[in-house]
Amino acid sequence: MDSPSSLSRANSFIAAGTVSIIYAVDNNNVIKIRPTSGEFERQAHEIEIRSYKRLGHHKRIASCEVTEEGLILERGTCLRGILQSVGESAIPWAMKLQWALEAAEGLEYIHSRGIIHADVGCHNIIVDNAKHVKFIDFAGSGIDGEAPLVCYEWCSFNPGVEIGICSDIFAFGSMLFELETGFVPYHELERTLEKGKLVTAVEEYFLQQEFPPVKTLAFGSIIGGCWNGKYTSIDEVHRDIALL
């Protein structure tokens, strides 16, 4: 592979995240540029480097190469983007089940390495060319009990629980809900509430243990278990998904 600097002019813009700008390098890789300003951004980037080094090579984690210019990461298609572009009904159940199992396997491995992702969701999972899912974005994650610098989306954040394994599991439940239905929990409120009121309303629902109905969903009992505190480890979630 050519060095990132030699490719800088040819790179195409993909996204601007909270911490870094991401460009395409080629069909197989992207580069997440090292931030040069902002204490939060620099800290979050260093945490991401530490996380990828800690995680090493694993089939459920996007591969990463650390360079002076930034992180060269395995390229894939955002799972949320797939759900929104083709519609949840266009994805076979067997594929959804495979992705759910693989995501649980990935998060199980992440936790086994002493890392709390702290932003679990379909937006931080990619699908590779072989149709397998992998976790991305560890900027600001929590390592070995350190408080994460980031937090979950409004549809995945349980305000009554300290960020840790259980909050990752709660967010995993919201991820399963989106995987099966194609929508995030309480998505219908986005049409009627502005962002601040939306966040406040959903936090109150979650605090009161009022969740979207899931009884008719194939993942329903597992989603409910993630949301209501049934599970204390993601391997328990993995086991129940496998039983489906």
Side-chain angles (χ1 to χ4, degrees):
M1 182 190 303
D2 294 330
S3 68
S5 57
S6 68
L7 289 164
S8 58
R9 292 187 179 180
N11 289 342
S12 59
F13 173 81
I14 291 182
T18 304
V19 173
S20 302
I21 299 175
I22 301 172
Y23 296 96
V25 173
D26 52 36
N27 290 334
N28 300 311
N29 299 276
V30 300
I31 183 166
K32 194 171 187 178
I33 301 297
R34 179 187 299 274
T36 57
S37 62
E39 185 61 24
F40 167 80
E41 289 81 0
R42 287 195 295 267
Q43 287 184 19
H45 183 77
E46 289 303 315
I47 288 171
E48 186 158 33
I49 292 174
R50 289 170 54 203
S51 295
Y52 275 115
K53 287 182 177 179
R54 171 75 65 89
L55 291 166
H57 176 74
H58 190 273
K59 60 185 177 180
R60 300 294 161 244
I61 308 296
S63 62
C64 175
E65 177 187 346
V66 181
T67 72
E68 289 187 5
E69 191 172 353
L71 304 178
I72 298 179
L73 298 165
E74 180 178 359
R75 187 172 185 175
T77 305
C78 175
L79 178 55
R80 174 168 292 166
I82 292 175
L83 294 172
Q84 292 178 346
S85 64
V86 304
E88 57 82 24
S89 61
I91 302 172
W93 165 249
M95 182 63 72
K96 292 183 182 181
L97 182 58
Q98 173 192 311
W99 287 345
L101 282 167
E102 291 177 349
E105 179 186 2
L107 191 56
E108 189 175 354
Y109 175 71
I110 291 166
H111 287 173
S112 75
R113 302 299 293 164
I115 296 173
I116 301 301
H117 190 282
D119 195 11
V120 173
C122 291
H123 61 304
N124 280 331
I125 293 177
I126 60 169
V127 180
D128 67 15
N129 292 333
K131 304 299 182 185
H132 295 292
V133 299
K134 300 182 179 184
F135 274 88
I136 60 171
D137 200 353
F138 296 89
S141 293
I143 305 175
D144 293 339
E146 297 174 359
L149 298 184
V150 295
C151 194
Y152 311 91
E153 296 180 298
W154 61 270
C155 56
S156 302
F157 173 61
N158 186 354
V161 175
E162 183 179 355
I163 294 180
I165 288 176
C166 289
S167 62
D168 264 6
I169 293 172
F170 184 94
F172 191 87
S174 294
M175 188 221 72
L176 287 179
F177 183 93
E178 184 176 359
L179 175 61
E180 181 160 353
T181 68
F183 300 99
V184 300
Y186 286 118
H187 65 95
E188 64 278 4
L189 296 181
E190 290 185 282
R191 296 193 297 266
T192 58
L193 297 178
E194 57 92 15
K195 189 60 178 291
K197 292 181 179 178
L198 172 67
V199 172
T200 300
V202 174
E203 282 188 359
E204 185 61 28
Y205 284 137
F206 285 165
L207 278 171
Q208 298 301 320
Q209 297 279 295
E210 296 179 15
F211 305 114
V214 295
K215 287 185 178 180
T216 61
L217 300 181
F219 289 132
S221 62
I222 300 171
I223 295 169
C226 290
W227 285 343
N228 64 31
K230 170 186 174 182
Y231 300 112
T232 57
S233 66
I234 195 66
D235 60 306
E236 296 172 358
V237 181
H238 193 182
R239 175 202 63 204
D240 282 359
I241 296 173
L243 290 175
L244 292 177

